[in-house]
Amino acid sequence: MKSHIRTLQIAFTYIGTIVGAGFATGQEILRFFTRYGHWALLTILFSAALFIWLGTKMMIIARKISADSYEDFNRHLFGAKAGTIISLFTMIILIGVNSIMLAGAGAIFKEHLGLPYQAGLLLTILGSYLLLKRGISGILQINSLVVPLMLTLSLILVCNTLGVAGAERFLFLPTDYSSINAWISPLLYTSFNLGMAQAVLVPLARHTDDERALVRGGILGGAGIGFMLLAAHFAMSSQMPGILQFEIPMGSIAIRLGPVVQMVFLLLIFMEIFSTFVAGIYGVSVQLQQRLPVAPALVAPLLMLICYVFSQFGFSSLLGIFYPIFGALCLIWVVMLVRSPMSPPPGHGKPPAGGAGGKKQGITIVSIKPAIRTTRK
């Protein structure tokens, strides 16, 4: 029973790490999959297979080399010097992603609540500041509740779309894009998300003493991501091309489910954005506190101010500009992950947590707190 619980915790953490603002709102799915028409079904299945394979492989390697942080993992893939540079680049990407998260919160307030865009930004920043004073454990626990709800809502969307005229359009939706673009898109999408997910999944694996739970959690988590991609694509395809005009396309689809379901869905989107934003700010601030001669109490507010400035460009604009660029650069990281052997050389790394020479640790939601902490090297 304990092993099954650990498997679910790992799977929900994996899904929650990938499901950020762009995913939950539908913008990522629309830009990387749905707009490619009839190719989208196959490319989503391809992306899900990559999530299962590479996400699981990353966690297994991280456990075997006893990587405490994504910087340790990058040093394993690229070597000490290059790995440190890649880790710094990852930090810069996280700042960009946090700006996109913040812009997504503002878009929800403006488009679906009828409130000012700036109100969404400022409320998210204020709430994040207050929560960061207490640590990240609370947000990680909330995420474990949000993911099952999002999976349930995805199932509801599928069932509801089955009765809508044009539900079968996802099979033959026309597109002006070439097949080459269609197949490059899932590579960019998967590379980017796995590159970001390492900040959480690497230390999670380090503190898991059951490799079978990691494997099962990686498979279940990757399959869950694939299911949510398919559900959102299926629902949005029936509303193409009109749905392209919305900043929060999934929110517009939720309207037909009734006002109660719509508000629940929008609340879930906001909670996912909020928790991801707080986790990202916390992770970057911890790393910067170790590198900059600035008072620790000032780092997080300064980061949020930077994100606030970038969020003025709008959610979909930031998503369309930065995500493809980040995805292309993360392709290098994925290539190194693919090339890396599953088993490290003998004597490489420290004993895994819970293994010989280490204190056994069980997995709880709180146990992934080190996921956004970078150790001093």
Side-chain angles (χ1 to χ4, degrees):
M1 178 62 70
K2 180 182 285 189
S3 179
H4 293 311
I5 293 175
R6 291 175 182 174
T7 296
L8 288 176
Q9 290 173 338
I10 293 169
F12 289 156
T13 302
Y14 189 6
I15 296 172
T17 304
I18 301 299
V19 179
F23 190 115
T25 61
Q27 276 289 350
E28 278 186 4
I29 305 165
L30 198 61
R31 290 182 178 274
F32 286 92
F33 299 102
T34 303
R35 68 174 178 173
Y36 294 105
H38 58 276
W39 291 108
L41 177 61
L42 293 176
T43 56
I44 287 175
L45 294 176
F46 176 55
S47 183
L50 290 177
F51 277 122
I52 292 172
W53 172 38
L54 296 178
T56 304
K57 182 177 182 179
M58 174 170 57
M59 289 190 287
I60 292 175
I61 294 176
R63 180 181 179 275
K64 289 184 176 180
I65 67 173
S66 302
D68 289 313
S69 67
Y70 67 86
E71 185 167 352
D72 292 337
F73 190 77
N74 286 330
R75 287 183 174 184
H76 170 74
L77 293 182
F78 295 92
K81 187 173 182 179
T84 300
I85 296 174
I86 294 295
S87 296
L88 288 173
F89 174 71
T90 300
M91 181 184 68
I92 294 173
I93 294 179
L94 282 171
I95 294 176
V97 171
N98 290 333
S99 301
I100 294 173
M101 298 290 143
L102 188 58
I108 290 178
F109 272 64
K110 177 182 178 181
E111 193 168 286
H112 293 281
L113 298 181
L115 298 174
Y117 179 81
Q118 301 299 324
L121 303 183
L122 296 175
L123 181 62
T124 302
I125 290 176
L126 177 61
S128 299
Y129 175 75
L130 295 175
L131 191 61
L132 282 170
K133 296 176 70 174
R134 293 166 33 200
I136 198 62
S137 299
I139 292 300
L140 296 176
Q141 292 170 341
I142 290 175
N143 202 45
S144 69
L145 298 175
V146 173
V147 171
L149 291 174
M150 289 295 291
L151 287 169
T152 302
L153 196 56
S154 294
L155 183 60
I156 293 174
L157 280 175
V158 170
C159 295
N160 180 265
T161 304
L162 288 173
V164 174
E168 73 287 351
R169 296 185 66 203
F170 76 102
L171 292 173
F172 51 85
L173 195 67
T175 178
D176 294 329
Y177 296 94
S178 68
S179 59
I180 295 177
N181 289 335
W183 284 100
I184 290 178
S185 189
L187 288 173
L188 296 177
Y189 174 79
T190 308
S191 298
F192 169 78
N193 280 286
L194 284 174
M196 296 298 94
Q198 65 173 317
V200 174
L201 298 185
V202 166
L204 172 62
R206 168 71 175 91
H207 295 285
T208 301
D209 57 359
D210 186 356
E211 187 171 304
R212 291 175 299 176
L214 280 179
V215 174
R216 291 194 296 262
I219 294 173
L220 187 60
I225 295 169
F227 169 72
M228 293 182 70
L229 282 171
L230 284 172
H233 167 63
F234 180 54
M236 289 191 293
S237 293
S238 65
Q239 305 296 317
M240 285 285 282
I243 199 170
L244 293 172
Q245 65 183 303
F246 294 103
E247 287 267 294
I248 312 292
M250 291 300 291
S252 66
I253 289 178
I255 293 177
R256 68 171 185 245
L257 301 179
V260 175
V261 176
Q262 181 189 10
M263 289 306 299
V264 170
F265 185 72
L266 291 174
L267 177 62
L268 286 174
I269 293 177
F270 180 77
M271 290 173 62
E272 189 61 51
I273 291 173
F274 182 75
S275 62
T276 306
F277 178 75
V278 173
I281 291 294
Y282 180 80
V284 176
S285 64
V286 168
Q287 188 170 4
L288 286 178
Q289 287 170 17
Q290 299 173 341
R291 298 177 181 274
L292 298 179
V294 180
L298 295 177
V299 175
L302 287 174
L303 281 173
M304 288 189 282
L305 177 61
I306 294 173
C307 293
Y308 176 78
V309 172
F310 279 110
S311 66
Q312 302 304 310
F313 292 99
F315 177 53
S316 60
S317 297
L318 286 172
L319 193 69
I321 294 172
F322 285 107
Y323 268 35
I325 296 175
F326 292 162
L329 294 172
C330 285
L331 270 175
I332 302 174
W333 181 87
V334 166
V335 169
M336 297 302 295
L337 176 59
V338 170
R339 294 180 56 189
S340 179
M342 190 73 77
S343 298
H348 185 94
K350 299 164 286 186
K359 183 179 179 181
K360 188 173 182 178
Q361 302 184 36
I363 289 299
T364 63
I365 293 299
V366 178
S367 72
I368 65 174
K369 185 174 181 179
I372 42 182
R373 182 188 297 120
T374 302
T375 57
R376 185 186 297 272
K377 299 295 178 184

